[in-house]
């Protein structure tokens, strides 16, 4: 039987102590919770700590079987730390292991941060309607042409845009036929295929996510990390240690200023470099539907849309992964959702049990096993 959820608590800014809760007071079996933590630590990511293999190959190129003209690493790469993570119940820390303050690359978790920035833009009226073509508010060649002109904000956020072209020296073709997750077959990755109409076909494509980052930059007209810090990270009390880095090729000129566009991951280097505790705050904000200490940082309607299954992939929302559809894990609540990054990096949110868990550098094949053990540890 699950204990009642403790009174919800909002952590103070990172410069102050974060309240903790004993496992028994949070409704956990201490032994089973420790088993989940031991499982996470024992199943460390197989990626080398340097993120480069002995032959000099970057982990991303090996992971996704990437070779050819668009495989150059054009952003900074930072060596990773060891396994780390924490579990929140009702906003309080119930368990913590490893160095949770250490800033590390986080790969595609950055996509979910882009999603939140899209929510901010929608709330500000910079995006008038998610179903409006992006070309109506973002001028220039990136959304020119009959095909790209049909692409809406929703298409970009659901990874169904089928955007065609090259941006920052990377072609959309580099991620054609790409698969992700355990057992992925990327033997055909990078082979050109015929495009579908925007909105009709899901493909995990980092170039197209970078197009979303570029489009949001054009709306805000200032660096996205600056917007994220001001509108989200500072209000939720995050540290000042995180950074979001772009490519040496991703500078654009806006209103006479040279600004770096940031990517939705570390596929070619760069991306969001951040600690587990800051991730936990971000996850808690989403768990509370965009509300922090009574202040609505995100439009409630946008949060609901972000967590609604996409028509082209039932376990995907607006750059958030859902426990829905044929791929759902029956051992976990259907309301659970997550931000996922290669390596593997995870922010897992379980609204049913008021849980937020952050995992750094766990073997991707073990991430679901940790979440199963965590839920099973509830008495």
């Amino acid at each position: 039987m699950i204990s009642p959820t403790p009174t919800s608590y909002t952590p103070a800014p990172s410069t102050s102590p974060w309240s903790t809760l004993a496992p028994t007071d949070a409704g956990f079996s201490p032994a089973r919770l420790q088993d989940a933590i031991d499982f996470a630590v024992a199943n460390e990511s197989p990626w080398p700590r340097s993120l480069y293999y002995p032959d000099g190959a970057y982990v991303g190129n090996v992971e996704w079987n990437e070779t050819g003209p668009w495989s150059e690493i054009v952003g900074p790469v930072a060596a990773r730390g060891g396994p780390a993570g924490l579990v929140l119940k009702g906003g309080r820390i119930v368990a913590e292991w490893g160095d949770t303050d250490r800033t590390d690359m986080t790969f595609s978790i950055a996509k979910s941060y882009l999603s939140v920035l899209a929510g901010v833009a929608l709330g500000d009226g910079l995006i008038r309607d998610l179903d409006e073509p992006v070309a109506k508010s973002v001028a220039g060649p990136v959304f020119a042409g009959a095909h790209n002109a049909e692409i809406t904000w929703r298409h970009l956020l659901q990874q169904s845009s089928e955007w065609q072209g090259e941006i920052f020296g990377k072609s959309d073709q580099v991620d054609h036929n790409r698969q992700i997750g355990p057992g992925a077959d990327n033997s055909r990755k990078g082979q050109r295929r015929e495009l579908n109409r925007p909105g009709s076909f899901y493909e995990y494509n980092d170039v197209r996510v970078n197009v979303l980052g570029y489009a949001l930059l054009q709306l805000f007209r200032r660096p996205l990390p600056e917007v994220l810090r001001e509108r989200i990270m500072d209000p939720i009390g995050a540290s000042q240690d995180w950074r979001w880095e772009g490519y040496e090729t991703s500078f654009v000129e806006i209103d006479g200023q040279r600004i770096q566009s940031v990517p939705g991951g570390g596929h070619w280097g760069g991306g969001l470099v951040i600690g587990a505790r800051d991730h936990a705050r971000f996850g808690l904000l989403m768990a509370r539907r965009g509300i922090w200490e009574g202040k609505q940082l995100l439009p409630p309607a946008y949060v609901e849309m972000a967590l609604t299954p996409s028509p082209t992939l039932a376990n995907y929302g607006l750059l958030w992964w859902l426990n829905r559809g044929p791929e759902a894990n029956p051992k976990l609540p259907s309301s659970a959702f997550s931000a996922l990054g290669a390596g593997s990096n995870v922010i897992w949110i379980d609204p049913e049990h008021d849980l937020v868990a952050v995992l750094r550098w766990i073997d991707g094949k073990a991430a679901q096993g940790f979440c199963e053990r965590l839920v099973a540890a509830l008495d």
Side-chain angles (χ1 to χ4, degrees):
M1 178 154 179
I2 299 170
S3 300
T5 301
T7 303
S8 286
Y9 154 86
T10 301
S14 63
T15 51
S16 301
W18 194 324
S19 178
T20 60
L21 194 64
T24 51
D25 292 337
F28 283 101
S29 157
R32 291 201 298 272
L33 178 59
Q34 188 60 51
D35 176 66
I37 296 168
D38 292 344
F39 179 81
V41 173
N43 284 277
E44 181 177 351
S45 170
W47 282 13
R49 294 284 181 103
S50 68
L51 301 190
Y52 285 95
Y53 288 99
D55 64 357
Y58 180 55
V59 288
N61 287 348
V62 175
E63 180 87 1
W64 303 301
N65 189 37
E66 188 160 298
T67 59
W70 305 296
S71 58
E72 181 184 4
I73 306 308
V74 288
V77 174
R80 72 172 179 88
L86 67 162
V87 176
L88 308 182
K89 174 76 167 178
R92 293 179 170 86
I93 296 176
V94 179
E96 191 168 20
W97 62 98
D99 186 351
T100 55
D101 287 322
R102 177 189 168 97
T103 56
D104 267 344
M105 293 178 71
T106 199
F107 290 83
S108 286
I109 285 182
K111 292 177 172 61
S112 298
Y113 282 78
L114 278 177
S115 175
V116 162
L117 284 176
V120 172
L122 184 68
D124 288 355
L126 298 175
I127 295 176
R128 293 181 287 268
D129 187 328
L130 290 187
D131 295 311
E132 180 179 87
V134 181
K136 288 196 173 182
S137 50
V138 177
V142 174
F143 293 96
H147 179 84
N148 287 346
E150 288 189 24
I151 295 168
T152 68
W153 294 99
R154 193 183 302 275
H155 296 156
L156 288 173
L157 289 160
Q158 292 178 338
Q159 296 225 57
S160 64
S161 73
E162 289 284 83
W163 181 87
Q164 182 178 30
E166 186 173 302
I167 190 168
F168 311 139
K170 306 292 183 183
S171 167
D172 69 291
Q173 184 183 328
V174 71
D175 275 346
H176 284 198
N177 301 300
R178 180 182 177 184
Q179 295 182 19
I180 59 170
D185 176 10
N186 281 302
S187 59
R188 296 179 58 244
K189 181 183 175 299
Q191 294 180 21
R192 190 165 193 83
R193 61 168 178 79
E194 291 299 315
L195 296 180
N196 299 278
R197 184 170 183 177
S200 68
F201 181 79
Y202 170 87
E203 182 173 75
Y204 198 89
N205 190 300
D206 281 326
V207 173
R208 292 170 183 153
V209 174
N210 290 351
V211 167
L212 170 64
Y214 167 85
L216 289 172
L217 173 59
Q218 294 294 324
L219 293 187
F220 285 111
R221 309 198 73 73
R222 59 194 184 108
L224 293 188
E226 185 180 293
V227 178
L228 180 68
R229 190 177 297 278
E230 177 186 296
R231 301 296 297 276
I232 300 295
M233 303 305 277
D234 282 354
I236 65 175
S239 76
Q240 298 299 306
D241 299 333
W242 64 272
R243 61 190 187 275
W244 199 347
E245 301 171 319
Y247 307 147
E248 60 193 42
T249 55
S250 66
F251 286 91
V252 298
E253 186 171 309
I254 296 179
D255 302 330
Q257 290 190 318
R258 189 169 180 259
I259 301 176
Q260 191 178 43
S261 190
V262 290
H267 190 149
W268 299 287
L272 188 62
V273 183
I274 192 169
R277 280 188 163 216
D278 284 345
H279 269 333
R281 290 173 181 274
F282 182 76
L284 189 60
L285 174 68
M286 285 297 292
R288 294 180 175 173
R289 296 308 195 259
I291 298 173
W292 197 269
E293 290 190 318
K295 184 177 180 181
Q296 192 81 50
L297 303 184
L298 292 170
Y302 180 81
V303 176
E304 293 307 315
M305 287 189 288
L307 304 179
T308 298
S310 302
T312 51
L313 188 67
N315 64 326
Y316 206 61
L318 304 182
L319 300 178
W320 286 90
W321 291 97
L322 316 176
N323 191 35
R324 305 287 290 276
E327 301 296 321
N329 184 337
K331 296 181 180 179
L332 301 174
S334 61
S335 60
F337 60 99
S338 55
L340 301 178
S344 290
N345 295 277
V346 182
I347 305 173
W348 186 73
I349 300 156
D350 174 3
E352 181 177 320
H353 299 117
D354 202 4
L355 293 176
V356 174
V358 177
L359 297 170
R360 306 306 305 265
W361 310 117
I362 188 172
D363 189 325
K365 298 187 292 292
Q368 289 281 303
F370 169 85
C371 296
E372 291 169 8
R373 284 166 172 79
L374 181 64
V375 170
L378 289 164
D379 286 327

